[in-house]
Amino acid sequence: MIEVVISTLMLALGSMGVMSVVDASTRNNYRVEQSQVVVNVLQGELERIKELPYTEVALTGLPAHSADQKNPSWRVSSGNFAMSSDGTNLRPLVANGSVLAGGGTVTGGTLSPTPKPFSSGDVRGVIYTYVVWVNDASCPEAVCPGSQDLKRVIVAATLDASAAIGERSYQELHTDIVDPDVTPVSNAVPGGSGQEGTFATFWLTDTPCNNSDRQPLTGDHNTHNTLGTCGAGMKTGNTAGAPDLMFTEPPKLDPDLPPDQQPLFDYSTDVEPLTNPTGDRGLQVRNSTLPGCIFSPSIVDGVPGQKVHRWLSPPVPSGLQLLLDGDANLSLWTRTLNGATHPGRICVFLFARKLNALGIPIDVPMVNQEITNATWFPHEEATWPKDNWTEISVPMKFLYAAGALLPGERLGLAISVEKGGTNPGDGLEFMYDHPSFDSRLQVKTSSVLPIFD
């Protein structure tokens, strides 16, 4: 009799375990379904808005602020919208009646600030739409004056709470819309058709340049030593390896995760801060102990690959060239280590990776037009961004004797952090290859943009 009771109890416990696994699997599958549906709905809404005339891409009125921090309208404040989910990085909303930089007010907007419901199968929720003004730092003021260069559309969706899943964080997607009546500043490389007199955009990646396209991120890792050639492949420590790749397509969302849950990886697990060593993310570039801007670090300065980081574009295709007009801009997401408060100064280098007569790679620097004999472009902040990732812009006016990148040549970028004093900390953090932190280099060209393979 006791054996029967024990057998029955074990069967019941086993059944409960199976049911628990099935229940968890069902919940996870439903979460994935929800995320994919929301991404599809938001992308469809952005595509609809992108088809509107430029003047109609504006709100009919200002959206109301929400006291609920889980609501995207919590980021609405006095005619502004916070681009960061923590309420920082405010930008003015584009709404009928708001002031235009050139005089007058915005009219013709057709986008409602009132949230609207959506449903797809058994997934239901609400869509919120916001439009803000953006200053395109990569476009010279002579071409794009003022702070209203383009419009950024943000669509966000909240899901109805369900007993099975409960309440979830909202998801959001962004897109920039340029006035077709002004000089275009967007990149034409990904589309492949090319435009004249525009900016070629290269997004920084965590992929070594011996690859022809971006590789999926798989987790944290030691700092890539990027001081060698592409043929050397990925190396770490004191062994010179391939620079990382500057790719011609922006980083993409992982469709299995909501936008606000895209992972942030540590690209420098061998450079950990003394306090909160697991809290750092992205690339950590350590201060040089040598004076000035360093392009080729010495072993006497510590681990060279931790002091300078380099990227290379894909090679220019055969039969084409990339004419360089002498204007570039680096948009870079950065912060201090552990939220420390101190000034900071970085050195940015632009160069061409060429092959000499013996087939040996050589780097030919771009010369800074604004600093005599300088082959670097400094950027300094009295208080370097801390706590939250912040996007900085480094405009560059340069001279390049050759004038153009020829077939087989690559455009190069390097970053170093100047020695202590200017940077009292042990280094600075940089984030890239992430949908929300899309660090990128834009270079102006008057040639038809080549299609980079």
Side-chain angles (χ1 to χ4, degrees):
M1 183 67 179
I2 294 176
E3 289 82 358
V4 173
V5 172
I6 294 174
S7 298
T8 303
L9 180 60
M10 292 180 65
L11 179 61
L13 291 174
S15 298
M16 290 174 63
V18 171
M19 291 299 293
S20 176
V21 171
V22 171
D23 179 63
S25 177
T26 301
R27 289 170 181 262
N28 290 336
N29 288 339
Y30 187 53
R31 287 181 66 90
V32 171
E33 177 193 348
Q34 282 185 322
S35 296
Q36 188 59 57
V37 167
V38 171
V39 169
N40 292 342
V41 169
L42 292 179
Q43 287 179 335
E45 184 67 9
L46 285 181
E47 291 302 317
R48 182 188 72 82
I49 293 173
K50 288 162 66 175
E51 295 297 322
L52 295 174
Y54 186 74
T55 55
E56 293 185 15
V57 182
L59 300 170
T60 57
L62 291 174
H65 171 76
S66 172
D68 181 3
Q69 196 164 348
K70 296 179 181 178
N71 186 308
S73 286
W74 176 80
R75 293 153 62 181
V76 174
S77 176
S78 303
N80 297 290
F81 181 79
M83 298 305 296
S84 300
S85 59
D86 63 357
T88 59
N89 194 13
L90 291 169
R91 293 183 180 172
L93 285 157
V94 186
N96 289 344
S98 59
V99 177
L100 287 168
T105 58
V106 175
T107 60
T110 61
L111 302 178
S112 173
T114 303
K116 62 181 182 180
F118 75 90
S119 64
S120 178
D122 57 353
V123 179
R124 294 176 175 80
V126 177
I127 294 179
Y128 299 76
T129 302
Y130 312 94
V131 186
V132 298
W133 288 114
V134 175
N135 177 48
D136 190 338
S138 68
C139 187
E141 286 298 302
V143 179
C144 307
S147 59
Q148 298 181 353
D149 296 340
L150 51 87
K151 297 174 181 178
R152 179 165 297 170
V153 178
I154 304 99
V155 290
T158 58
L159 290 172
D160 294 347
S162 67
I165 302 298
E167 187 175 14
R168 295 189 59 181
S169 300
Y170 60 84
Q171 297 175 230
E172 65 182 90
L173 292 179
H174 301 193
T175 191
D176 289 342
I177 298 180
V178 180
D179 187 345
D181 294 329
V182 300
T183 302
V185 297
S186 60
N187 183 43
V189 173
S193 59
Q195 294 185 33
E196 294 188 357
T198 187
F199 284 80
T201 302
F202 300 91
W203 281 268
L204 311 189
T205 80
D206 186 49
T207 298
C209 65
N210 56 306
N211 296 277
S212 59
D213 55 16
R214 174 188 283 106
Q215 300 299 299
L217 299 176
T218 57
D220 302 340
H221 58 74
N222 284 353
T223 306
H224 291 169
N225 185 320
T226 58
L227 303 180
T229 64
C230 294
M234 191 276 289
K235 297 291 188 294
T236 60
N238 287 325
T239 304
D244 281 336
L245 184 67
M246 292 193 296
F247 197 47
T248 53
E249 293 182 3
K252 297 180 180 179
L253 289 168
D254 181 341
D256 295 330
L257 295 172
D260 61 346
Q261 295 180 21
Q262 302 292 306
L264 290 172
F265 293 112
D266 185 355
Y267 304 152
S268 300
T269 52
D270 52 335
V271 185
E272 300 293 356
L274 295 178
T275 59
N276 190 24
T278 62
D280 56 331
R281 293 292 183 270
L283 172 72
Q284 292 87 56
V285 178
R286 303 191 67 182
N287 297 356
S288 174
T289 60
L290 303 176
C293 289
I294 306 298
F295 178 75
S296 298
S298 168
I299 192 69
V300 301
D301 193 24
V303 180
Q306 297 176 356
K307 302 301 178 78
V308 175
H309 204 85
R310 298 178 184 171
W311 290 265
L312 289 176
S313 73
V316 175
S318 177
L320 299 174
Q321 66 174 4
L322 182 64
L323 183 63
L324 302 175
D325 289 0
D327 279 304
N329 186 80
L330 175 64
S331 297
L332 189 63
W333 290 90
T334 183
R335 67 182 185 185
T336 61
L337 291 170
N338 281 328
T341 302
H342 58 71
R345 181 179 171 92
I346 63 173
C347 302
V348 178
F349 299 83
L350 286 180
F351 60 96
R353 175 67 59 95
K354 306 166 70 76
L355 297 177
N356 64 15
L358 299 177
I360 300 173
I362 57 172
D363 294 332
V364 179
M366 314 294 176
V367 178
N368 191 333
Q369 289 193 53
E370 299 177 339
I371 302 178
T372 303
N373 297 325
T375 57
W376 62 87
F377 303 84
H379 180 84
E380 187 170 0
E381 299 275 347
T383 301
W384 199 262
K386 65 186 188 74
D387 297 326
N388 299 309
W389 293 109
T390 301
E391 187 177 24
I392 64 172
S393 292
V394 185
M396 293 169 274
K397 291 187 177 298
F398 63 88
L399 293 172
Y400 178 54
L405 294 179
L406 302 178
E409 298 178 349
R410 299 173 183 255
L411 180 65
L413 170 75
I415 296 174
S416 66
V417 177
E418 278 213 67
K419 65 177 294 186
T422 306
N423 296 287
D426 190 43
L428 298 172
E429 287 186 296
F430 303 95
M431 180 54 72
Y432 47 89
D433 209 356
H434 187 279
S436 297
F437 309 111
D438 55 339
S439 296
R440 60 206 178 276
L441 173 68
Q442 293 179 291
V443 291
K444 188 179 181 182
T445 175
S446 57
S447 62
V448 175
L449 292 174
I451 302 172
F452 289 86
D453 297 322

